[in-house]
Every structure is written in structure tokens, then in C-alpha cells.
Amino acid sequence: MRKRKMSAWRSAAAICALLLTAAGCGSGNDDDKGGHAPDKLGKGEGKVNIIAWAGYAEDGSNDPKVDWVHPFEKKTGCQVNTKTAGTSDEMVSLMKTGQYDTVSASGDATLRLIASGDAAPVNTKLVPNYRDIFPALKQQPFNSKDGRMYGIPHGRGANLLMYRTDKVTSAPDSWRAVFDDAARYDGHVTAYDSPIYIADAALYLMQAKPSLGIKNPYALDQKQLDAAVALLKKQHKAVGEYWSDYQKEITAFKGGDSVIGTTWQVIANLTKAEKAPVKAVLPKEGATGWSDTWMVSAKAEHPNCAYKWLDWIVSPKVNAQVAEYFGEAPSNRKACAETSAPDHCAIFHADDEKYFQRVHFWTTPIKQCLDGRKDADCTDYAQWTRAWTEVKG
Amino acid sequence: MPAAPTPGSRLRLTALLAPPLLWLTLAYLGSLAVLLLSAFWATDSFTSDVVRTWNTDNFHELLTTPVYRTIALRTLSIAAAVTVVDALLALPMAFFMARVAGRGWRRPLLVAVLTPLWAGYLVKAYAWRVMLGENGVVGAALAPFGLHGPGYGTTAVVIVLAYLWLPYMILPVYAALERLPERMLEASADLGAGTWRTLRSVVLPAVRPAVLAGSVFTFSLSLGDYLTVQIVGGKTQLLGNVIASQVTLDLPMAAALSAVPVVLIVCYLAAVRRAGALDSL
């Protein structure tokens, strides 16, 4: 009895100490937000909680042949708990809970995670495979800040234009097909259901309306945003449905409910595999795209296992497996030798920097214009979100 | 007559009721209160973190932005349409089950009405997505008559929601009709009333409270739904979808938005109560 009382006192004291420390931290300056990268790694904690896009952390439950989670668990002793997120917004809110150690964030989420202090900088020296990542993916505006990397690049891809070859007979080579010419496919146009899709309209306007002066589709001032919104509202009339779930897009193209619209390479592959006559192209204007980065939570409970996962997921063999399963360009240059299809890297333009120069990777729009303009205020993601509600009406 | 409560029994009663009451006030009403409270906070537009500064900007925006009004009205009309469709389908169905079908038929029919409730919501909604699609069963069935299926959109949403909530309307109406004394129908016939007159003057007033009670289910469930819209709604956007899309980015705005269906339901309940449907509760 006496002993229990003692321990109760002790835990009370511990709680007080914790609160005091927390209060102390709270008054510290904002630069500490987001925590520090570790200098060296310790032993694995036996567990790692990850947030991933569907297809990024396969454990064989979808397809027994596709499994890179169990080998990881066997090798490191870190049990993997995967939470699959459907959208970038979902990833951001899941990371805020502090229950996850690492996340495969796209560029429209990374800056938000960095700014809110939910993601910690990553010590790339502790990730040996980092040295083989394509140089063009390192230190990019969407995965680093002040010269510090906030994650390990995982893979990249473009948002392509897909169409049904039996319904769209004149092969389109421009985004004009889903914007100014959308009425031709009235009720059968599809678009990605996210505020970030506004950038697709802005990208088209860069060439269709040069007078607007758009230099970067993620840096829009109010006037430029209004023009993009007007274009999207016009497109809305011809849209049959918006998609955010890739399964939904596959069934829509397969059944003919959608005949033209944005897609990812993986969706095009899966739709073709289901015998639907579709084709995906990178239009002449270029495209928006995504480059995913494995980030570590600032509140990670299992940082050692998280670093082990980071190194594992971009290791040549696993990076190749993920890239092939998901349908994207791997980030590790050595992965190209490990793919089961010898031309995988060629198909996905993995080392084709000319190709990716035409791809504008998702970046969170912020007040400070990303294109370097000093004389203008840009619109931020909150404004984009409201504009997107407006577009859908 | 129950015995007067002794101190011991009162204690037992308190112990029995304390957990549910605590649950009701803390977990249930408490979370609602916190939700409404957060509607008065702001959001850091870049990090999406909630900033706890008191303001009414969210409600101001809600009331002054036309798109929110459009969406609220659309949601309201869909909920009303679903309720009307369900009432029109449930009345004859329940009447047949309770008064026309023989005793041996009642049970199988009741089971048939309840069976769809065993299947998952998503499974049913996706089944409708397949049926309503471009090459779906609905389109194929209408094609011989030179008609087109509704495709994805508001009509599809009304159809699917009416399908999903139909049992919730049939059951109370069936219960009311089953309780309707045979003598009243006989008396009506004896007084010279025809079938229609009996239906209008005897049956309908008797089931009105049941229809209203069922409508509380169909109306409120439709008002809050957002999955069906995502699956068969095409480009339609309802309150639930806007709330869902705001939750991660702008929690206070989402909270302000979700106050709209709460207000609508309270108004609806007040109206239903006036009509007397809740008297038997």
C-alpha cells in the first residue's frame, strides 16, 4: 500500500515536471518548431506507424506477389502499421494527430507540414540510399527549406490527359480538349477533385492567355486565380464527375461515363489492363505532377524505425518494386536496373530531366509568390479551397 | 402501483442511470458543444492549424457567400425529395403488408423489407453506381422505350438515398397500420364510405404520425449524407461534401457549416412536433 502511494507521488511529480518542460518549450522561439534531425540512430523501437498512398506500402494483402513490408519487418524487426490516405489533405490532418512516424507526402502537402511543424528535417546522412537519388529531386522548393531536406524523395509522375480512343477520335495533344473544347464531350469530361486542380487550369492559361502573365501555376495573384476559376466554371458544365479515388476513375473510363480527363499513369495502366480502349498523353503545354517525399513526423515515437523505413523504401530493389506496382518514375537511379520490365524507367522517363522540366510538380500555393514576384500578393491554399467549392457550385 | 422508493433503491437507480447520463452529457452533447464552439475560432491559412481567437467570421462568410446558400438549398431539396419518394413508396407497401396480405405472407414480406439493412451501405451504393452507369442495367431497361437512364447526378442521389432509407419509413407506417383497429374500417364501410373515402378519412389520419416519424429518419439521414453523393452524385456537391473537404483544412469553417444541418433538423423536428408526431414518444 505504502509503495503504491509512493509511486503515485512519483508519477504526479513526473507529470508536473513534464508540464513545466512543456510550458518551457511553449515559450521558446518558433525556429524550434518541427524539431531537429537526429545526429545518429539508435536501435529500432520495434514498431513504425506510416501514412502512405495506396500502393506504397504493400504487405501482400492486395496481391500476394507484391510485398515489401514483410521483408522489411523481418530485416529490421520494426512492425509496420500502415494507414492509407486518399488525399493530401487527409495526410496533413492525420500527421497532426502525432500518432504517425512517417508519411509519403506529395508536394501540395509538404510545405504545409513543414510550416506547421508537423514534419522534422531529415538527416540525409543517416539514409545511405539517399546518395543514389536523382540529383534533380534533391533540395527542391517542395521538399526542403533553407537548404535542409525535409524528407527522402520517393518517386514522381505527371498528371496526364487520358481519353477513350473509341469516343475521342481526333487524338488530343493539348489541354484545350478539356477546357475550351470541353463542350464536345458534354457530360463525359472528368477532372481531379482537389483545389490543387486549379493549377491545371492555370497551366493551360499560361499558353492560352499569355496576357495574364502566369509564370508558375502555383503562384497566382487574385486576378490570375479569378481567370482560372472562370475557366474551371466553364469546364464544370461539361464535367460528368470529378474523381479523387483512382478506382472510381477506372470504372468511369471503363464504363464510358468519362471519356476524357486528367489521370495518373498507374490509372491508365490499370484501365488498359481491364481492356478499356484508353490512351494517356503528356499534352504539349506540359502538365502538373507530383513528386512524393517520405517525411518524418516531428513527434515521431519511433524515429529509428522511421529512418530504417526511409532507407528501405528508396533502396534500389524496393524503389523499383514500388515504382512498377504504382506506375511512377523511381527516385533512386540504381532502381532502374532492378525493375522487372527492363524499359520501365524509359516509359516513365525516370532519368529524362527534359521530360520532367515540362512537369510542374504540386507545390502548396502560399501568400508569398513562388515565382519570385515581389510586387504582388499571391493567393494561398485556403483561398484555393474556397475557390474550388465555388467552382463545383 | 409501485412501491415508494427506499434510499437503497434510489441509490441503485442513480448508479444505473449515471453512466448513460454521463455519456449523454459529456461524450454526446459535449462533443456537439465543442464542435459549435470551434466554429468561432479561426484557421491559420497556411498551416491549417486552428487559431483560438474568438470571431464570427465563419458565420459571416457562410451567410454572405452565395455558393453556400445554393448548396444548403440543394441539400434541403434532396432531403425533402427523398422523404416524399419514400412516403409514396412506403404507404401502399406497408398497407399491403399490414392489411391485405394473409398472415403467412406478413413475415416473409417484413423480412424482405429488412434484408437490405444487412448489406453494407457502401456495397449498396456501389451497386447503384454500376446500375446507373453508362452501360448499366437501368439504361438498358429504359432503352426499349427510347429513354435514357438518369446517369450520375442529383436524380441518382435521390434514387439511391430513397432506396437506402426506405425500410426506415416502411417500418413505422407498417406498425401504425397493424395497430389500426379492424372495427374502424368496418364502421367506415357501414357508414357507406368507399375504399378511397376510407383511405382518406380513416387510414391516412391514423398513419400520419407514423409517416412523420419515418420522415425524421429519411430527412435527417439524407441531410447529413455525403458518401452516396460521392459515389453516384457526379459533380453534385452537398453540405456533407463541403464539410468533409473543409474538415482537414479549415476545421472552424467546417464546424460553422455543420451548424447548418443542425439548425435545419431542429426546425424540422419543431415542425413535426407541432404536427403531433412526437406525442407518443
Side-chain angles (χ1 to χ4, degrees):
Chain A
M1 193 66 200
R2 197 179 158 76
K3 206 169 180 188
R4 192 177 288 169
K5 217 172 214 169
M6 270 300 288
S7 74
W9 272 110
R10 202 174 288 164
S11 44
I15 290 170
C16 285
L18 256 177
L19 283 174
L20 281 173
T21 338
C25 288
S27 61
N29 60 27
D30 275 350
D31 290 347
D32 282 349
K33 221 174 166 187
H36 296 284
D39 294 326
K40 59 173 194 287
L41 287 184
K43 259 185 65 165
E45 296 89 348
K47 203 174 149 188
V48 60
N49 299 325
I50 66 182
I51 309 169
W53 290 112
Y56 270 19
E58 291 297 307
D59 59 1
S61 51
N62 288 324
D63 179 350
K65 289 193 290 276
V66 182
D67 179 2
W68 45 88
V69 164
H70 285 112
F72 170 76
E73 290 176 338
K74 222 166 148 193
K75 189 180 164 222
T76 62
C78 299
Q79 214 64 35
V80 174
N81 292 319
T82 307
K83 165 84 188 157
T84 306
T87 60
S88 289
D89 298 337
E90 203 183 325
M91 285 186 171
V92 171
S93 71
L94 284 172
M95 277 293 273
K96 282 193 190 304
T97 64
Q99 289 165 10
Y100 298 90
D101 300 302
T102 174
V103 60
S104 64
S106 297
D108 55 335
T110 44
L111 287 186
R112 278 189 274 160
L113 290 170
I114 296 171
S116 60
D118 291 313
V122 166
N123 183 350
T124 52
K125 288 199 190 77
L126 301 178
V127 184
N129 282 308
Y130 181 72
R131 62 167 184 264
D132 297 323
I133 302 287
F134 287 112
L137 288 169
K138 295 177 177 175
Q139 299 287 353
Q140 290 304 300
F142 49 78
N143 59 22
S144 66
K145 196 183 154 212
D146 305 330
R148 278 192 299 185
M149 276 302 278
Y150 273 79
I152 304 297
H154 167 98
R156 51 184 167 171
N159 297 320
L160 303 170
L161 177 65
M162 179 157 79
Y163 58 95
R164 270 185 72 120
T165 48
D166 57 339
K167 303 270 168 65
V168 179
T169 41
S170 55
D173 68 338
S174 158
W175 289 111
R176 170 177 267 279
V178 290
F179 290 115
D180 283 327
D181 292 346
R184 262 192 226 169
Y185 319 104
D186 199 15
H188 298 284
V189 174
T190 190
Y192 187 54
D193 190 0
S194 162
I196 207 71
Y197 183 68
I198 292 173
D200 286 58
L203 179 83
Y204 172 66
L205 288 174
M206 270 164 79
Q207 293 192 9
K209 252 193 193 167
S211 59
L212 283 165
I214 300 173
K215 297 275 178 294
N216 175 334
Y218 305 98
L220 306 178
D221 59 36
Q222 192 61 51
K223 204 181 116 218
Q224 294 164 338
L225 178 67
D226 290 344
V229 166
L231 182 63
L232 289 166
K233 279 189 177 164
K234 202 174 111 191
Q235 182 200 44
H236 179 79
K237 295 195 189 88
V239 166
E241 67 179 357
Y242 294 95
W243 67 276
S244 57
D245 163 5
Y246 73 103
Q247 291 289 358
K248 189 171 152 182
E249 161 135 292
I250 294 170
T251 59
F253 267 92
K254 201 179 148 198
D257 292 293
S258 297
V259 304
I260 192 163
T262 42
T263 196
W264 300 331
Q265 187 66 51
V266 61
I267 298 173
N269 296 350
L270 289 168
T271 318
K272 266 187 224 160
E274 300 213 3
K275 309 259 182 307
V278 294
K279 207 174 163 191
V281 293
L282 182 74
K284 62 178 185 212
E285 294 93 352
T288 58
W290 36 267
S291 174
D292 295 341
T293 308
W294 282 98
M295 304 179 98
V296 177
S297 168
K299 295 167 226 141
E301 275 178 61
H302 316 99
N304 296 327
C305 274
Y307 268 79
K308 285 184 203 290
W309 173 260
L310 256 51
D311 194 45
W312 171 261
I313 201 73
V314 296
S315 61
K317 185 123 206 182
V318 178
N319 197 218
Q321 276 178 296
V322 183
E324 280 201 291
Y325 181 69
F326 187 82
E328 66 185 341
S331 63
N332 190 319
R333 101 176 89 98
K334 287 189 178 158
C336 290
E338 301 281 347
T339 53
S340 61
D343 52 352
H344 178 85
C345 278
I347 294 172
F348 287 91
H349 310 272
D351 51 358
D352 185 352
E353 296 310 332
K354 273 226 177 66
Y355 176 89
F356 280 112
Q357 265 160 25
R358 294 165 65 202
V359 177
H360 302 256
F361 293 118
W362 281 347
T363 310
T364 315
I366 51 174
K367 275 239 143 40
Q368 204 180 358
C369 290
L370 294 159
D371 58 1
R373 273 184 289 172
K374 294 271 181 273
D375 54 341
D377 264 341
C378 277
T379 48
D380 63 14
Y381 197 64
Q383 281 165 289
W384 282 40
T385 310
R386 281 169 202 191
W388 185 241
T389 305
E390 194 100 16
V391 165
K392 293 205 288 172
Chain B
M1 197 173 143
T6 62
S9 76
R10 199 170 289 163
L11 197 72
R12 270 205 301 276
L13 194 67
T14 318
L16 183 72
L17 288 181
L21 276 177
L22 214 65
W23 171 259
L24 181 76
T25 46
L26 282 181
Y28 191 72
L29 296 178
S31 60
L32 259 182
V34 170
L35 175 88
L36 277 180
L37 183 72
S38 64
F40 293 96
W41 289 337
T43 302
D44 183 314
S45 67
F46 184 42
T47 63
S48 311
D49 286 337
V50 174
V51 182
R52 297 183 184 186
T53 45
W54 185 268
N55 68 81
T56 54
D57 290 358
N58 290 321
F59 288 102
H60 184 251
E61 193 179 323
L62 190 65
L63 295 173
T64 51
T65 315
V67 70
Y68 292 133
R69 207 172 314 139
T70 317
I71 295 169
L73 279 177
R74 184 186 300 135
T75 311
L76 192 65
S77 348
I78 286 182
V82 169
T83 304
V84 169
V85 169
D86 272 348
L88 289 178
L89 289 175
L91 277 171
M93 181 74 201
F95 188 77
F96 180 79
M97 279 164 62
R99 318 278 345 173
V100 182
R103 286 221 161 264
W105 273 102
R106 252 179 230 179
R107 199 172 288 254
L109 279 173
L110 202 60
V111 170
V113 167
L114 290 174
T115 314
L117 290 179
W118 299 345
Y121 172 112
L122 281 176
V123 175
K124 289 184 279 185
Y126 271 107
W128 273 100
R129 180 174 166 87
V130 175
M131 290 199 287
L132 290 166
E134 192 82 351
N135 300 318
V137 185
V138 176
L142 290 172
F145 307 99
L147 296 168
H148 279 289
Y152 302 139
T154 37
T155 319
V157 174
V158 172
I159 293 173
V160 175
L161 286 178
Y163 165 81
L164 288 171
W165 311 143
L166 185 61
Y168 298 99
M169 182 64 97
I170 291 186
L171 287 179
V173 177
Y174 169 78
L177 280 170
E178 211 192 13
R179 275 199 307 241
L180 188 69
E182 192 69 42
R183 277 167 298 161
M184 281 173 75
L185 300 181
E186 282 164 6
S188 173
D190 288 347
L191 290 168
T195 315
W196 285 114
R197 184 65 208 252
T198 307
L199 268 181
R200 211 176 63 221
S201 306
V202 181
V203 178
L204 274 184
V207 298
R208 208 176 63 125
V211 173
L212 286 175
S215 78
V216 172
F217 291 119
T218 57
F219 185 79
S220 61
L221 288 171
S222 311
L223 211 54
D225 191 84
Y226 77 102
L227 284 173
T228 294
V229 195
Q230 258 176 31
I231 296 166
V232 299
K235 55 184 171 179
T236 317
Q237 190 170 219
L238 295 192
L239 271 175
N241 306 92
V242 185
I243 295 169
S245 71
Q246 298 268 6
V247 154
T248 53
L249 296 163
D250 192 345
L251 187 73
M253 188 65 206
L257 276 164
S258 51
V260 177
V262 172
V263 168
L264 288 175
I265 284 288
V266 169
C267 293
Y268 191 74
L269 283 177
V272 169
R273 201 181 97 99
R274 277 198 139 192
L278 305 179
D279 291 352
S280 55
L281 283 182

